[in-house]
Every structure is written in structure tokens, then in C-alpha cells.
Amino acid sequence: RQAKARMLQDGCSVVQGHFHSKTYLEYLANDYQLNFAMQLGALIDDDAYAFNYGKHYAKSHKNCGVVINGVPTIEYMEL
């Protein structure tokens, strides 16, 4: 599952990585809590032989997530 689906089902904030071509940060707020879903890329070399299976798909997102004092941030790798 993606991070958003897990957040909605489990009712808590979620950070999930290794979804090659999808990155997002979404919030869900109500009267009782503020949750977020952070979905991150894979930091792989799309041109490497080991990842040849994905050559017909979108390129991988190169990023990582950081949560400091409950505040999520997505940091992208400079290429």
C-alpha cells in the first residue's frame, strides 16, 4: 500500500519509502489529530543493469524524508 492508504486505515502518521516513481506529502486533520502521509522515492540508479526491468516506467525519484519535531520534510538529491 501507499502511505496515504496506510495513514487512512491505521489513523496515524506514516513515512514510507521505496515507491520508485511517486513522492508526496499529504495531511489529514480533524478535531482530534493532525496526521501526515509521506511517500518517498527509491534512490536507485535507473541506468544500472539490476534495474533494467523498469526501463519502460517513469524514472525513480531521488529523495529522502526527514521528520524533525513532528514536521515532515522531503529532501531531493541534487543530480
Side-chain angles (χ1 to χ4, degrees):
R1 291 181 296 175
Q2 291 185 33
K4 183 178 179 182
R6 187 172 298 276
M7 173 191 67
L8 293 172
Q9 182 175 358
D10 296 347
C12 63
S13 293
V14 174
V15 177
Q16 182 169 298
H18 205 83
F19 199 103
H20 292 238
S21 59
K22 186 167 283 198
T23 298
Y24 60 80
L25 177 57
E26 291 195 34
Y27 287 87
L28 177 66
N30 59 33
D31 292 340
Y32 307 103
Q33 61 188 3
L34 173 65
N35 291 330
F36 63 84
M38 183 165 45
Q39 183 70 57
L40 302 161
L43 283 176
I44 64 167
D45 179 359
D46 290 305
D47 296 325
Y49 178 75
F51 302 109
N52 198 34
Y53 65 87
K55 66 183 176 186
H56 300 293
Y57 301 102
K59 292 287 187 184
S60 295
H61 292 203
K62 314 295 194 262
N63 55 37
C64 66
V66 180
V67 180
I68 299 174
N69 295 326
V71 179
T73 304
I74 297 172
E75 296 290 335
Y76 281 84
M77 180 178 177
E78 290 186 34
L79 301 175

